[in-house]
Amino acid sequence: MRHSRTILTLAASAALAVAAGFAEADDRKLPQPKISEELTLELKSVEVLSTTMTYLEDGAGDTVLFIHGNPTSSYLWRNVIPHVSDTHRAIAVDLIGMGASGKPDNDYTFADHASYLDAFVEELGLTDLTLVGHDWGAALAWDFARRHPGKVERLTFMEGVLPPAMPQPSYEAMGDEMGGMFRALQDPEQGYEMVMEGNFFVEGILPMMIDRSLGKAAMAAYGAPYQTVASRLPTWMWPREVPIGGSPEGNVQLMDDIRQFMGETDMPVLLTYADPGVLVPPQAVPFYSGLIENLEAAYIGRGLHFIQEDQPDAIGRAISDWLRRN
């Protein structure tokens, strides 16, 4: 319990620091990386469960599947993919209801996303997978590997919605700032106003949790799937899926199952982390290194939560080198 409280306190502190102008600070020891916002790969599409799912693809060989979280899309991985596609087949999927994927009439719970991800992998005939997950995508990656051990060879994760930060015993245990935010997000009226009407995750959380100012091209790419109130439902369901105070029960069990699997698996695992980070700050690394037998941890520099927009080359090099050695 102490681990989860400490990490959520650090997350809240990071968020407040950014809001206070952390991203504008001039205390860098190295120049800020120049991040291209151009997407050079063309989206592909495949029929999945009576709708469509879109994805980016490049390279050949064993498959590395990139899984994003909330409120991003395959676009998040655009500058990481080139480091991997020289030696592997890199695929970055748009989760159902997100990116350019279809928006079927469902609740967009974790279980829904997991079902569509399973079907996507099956439709493309993917085997011998290396999974790369971020945010809720990290939870989806760990859950998929747990349920399909014969299909997954390796796993990489970063800034994941995972133990030890999850589940949380209560809003109060999360601290005033973070607990108050999630209490509001999970409230039917306040959450609807914040996310469905106010597009909170795209226009608020996303730019706040990146250690630079996003340009017009990036904001347009991330905002394109959520131009209407109804289209934003996936971005509101994700915070309501965060297990707090024993609810949702299925996701409390999910996090317990993932924690147990982390302690049992012997597959190669790579954690990439930044400083200060948010969900996985440097202080969280000992938890994972003490739990996961075959873990490597790679520090990729200064960054917040959406570290692919802060340090894509460092992430790509770390994954590429780890793949070469494993």
Side-chain angles (χ1 to χ4, degrees):
M1 198 67 67
R2 179 175 58 83
H3 284 293
S4 61
R5 291 181 183 178
T6 299
I7 289 169
L8 262 295
T9 300
L10 288 165
S13 297
L16 291 173
V18 179
F22 173 83
E24 310 301 329
D26 58 0
D27 60 347
R28 301 178 187 278
K29 295 181 180 179
L30 296 172
Q32 186 175 20
K34 293 183 178 179
I35 311 298
S36 171
E37 296 190 348
E38 180 184 6
L39 179 61
T40 58
L41 296 175
E42 184 176 349
L43 272 173
K44 297 183 177 182
S45 178
V46 61
E47 292 187 7
V48 176
L49 300 179
S50 301
T51 185
T52 58
M53 292 183 73
T54 47
Y55 61 100
L56 302 174
E57 181 177 10
D58 195 28
D62 290 342
T63 301
V64 179
L65 178 60
F66 294 86
I67 309 171
H68 67 87
N70 190 29
T72 56
S73 64
S74 58
Y75 176 82
L76 180 74
W77 303 104
R78 68 194 181 280
N79 293 317
V80 178
I81 287 173
H83 294 277
V84 174
S85 58
D86 283 345
T87 56
H88 290 72
R89 180 190 185 191
I91 295 177
V93 64
D94 286 333
L95 295 176
I96 197 65
M98 308 184 79
S101 286
K103 293 183 180 288
D105 183 15
N106 66 41
D107 293 331
Y108 297 102
T109 63
F110 183 94
D112 290 329
H113 283 285
S115 294
Y116 278 90
L117 181 63
D118 284 1
F120 175 82
V121 171
E122 187 70 23
E123 187 66 31
L124 291 188
L126 304 180
T127 59
D128 302 322
L129 284 165
T130 297
L131 301 179
V132 183
H134 172 259
D135 190 80
W136 274 106
L140 285 165
W142 275 105
D143 177 63
F144 185 95
R146 179 183 66 84
R147 294 183 294 104
H148 303 286
K151 291 186 177 181
V152 180
E153 299 290 332
R154 310 166 197 83
L155 189 147
T156 297
F157 70 104
M158 60 203 77
E159 281 294 308
V161 182
L162 292 167
M166 301 297 165
Q168 282 291 309
S170 65
Y171 296 119
E172 290 75 16
M174 301 171 74
D176 292 341
E177 296 84 4
M178 192 66 67
M181 182 179 74
F182 272 94
R183 187 190 297 275
L185 287 169
Q186 294 188 344
D187 180 84
E189 294 184 3
Q190 293 185 68
Y192 186 92
E193 183 179 352
M194 290 170 67
V195 183
M196 299 292 281
E197 294 180 349
N199 206 10
F200 176 68
F201 275 90
V202 173
E203 297 182 8
I205 290 293
L206 178 67
M208 185 177 72
M209 290 295 172
I210 297 172
D211 186 30
R212 66 184 184 89
S213 297
L214 280 181
K216 292 182 179 179
M219 285 301 297
Y222 286 124
Y226 310 114
Q227 295 298 302
T228 65
V229 170
S231 67
R232 297 167 191 162
L233 179 58
T235 71
W236 186 28
M237 180 52 73
W238 279 127
R240 289 188 285 169
E241 287 289 278
V242 173
I244 304 171
S247 181
E249 291 184 9
N251 289 349
V252 173
Q253 185 63 52
L254 168 73
M255 294 299 162
D256 288 344
D257 289 343
I258 288 175
R259 182 195 292 258
Q260 182 174 345
F261 179 65
M262 285 177 171
E264 295 172 347
T265 185
D266 61 356
M267 68 176 172
V269 177
L270 174 67
L271 165 63
T272 63
Y273 68 98
D275 186 9
V278 176
L279 289 180
V280 185
Q283 293 89 340
V285 175
F287 168 84
Y288 294 112
S289 60
L291 181 61
I292 302 170
E293 177 182 352
N294 198 6
L295 176 83
E296 293 185 31
Y299 171 66
I300 51 87
R302 172 168 160 153
L304 293 168
H305 179 58
F306 299 97
I307 56 178
Q308 301 88 340
E309 292 290 357
D310 291 326
Q311 303 287 351
D313 291 333
I315 294 170
R317 287 193 297 267
I319 296 174
S320 177
D321 180 60
W322 172 74
L323 287 168
R324 176 182 57 80
R325 291 182 286 101
N326 290 276

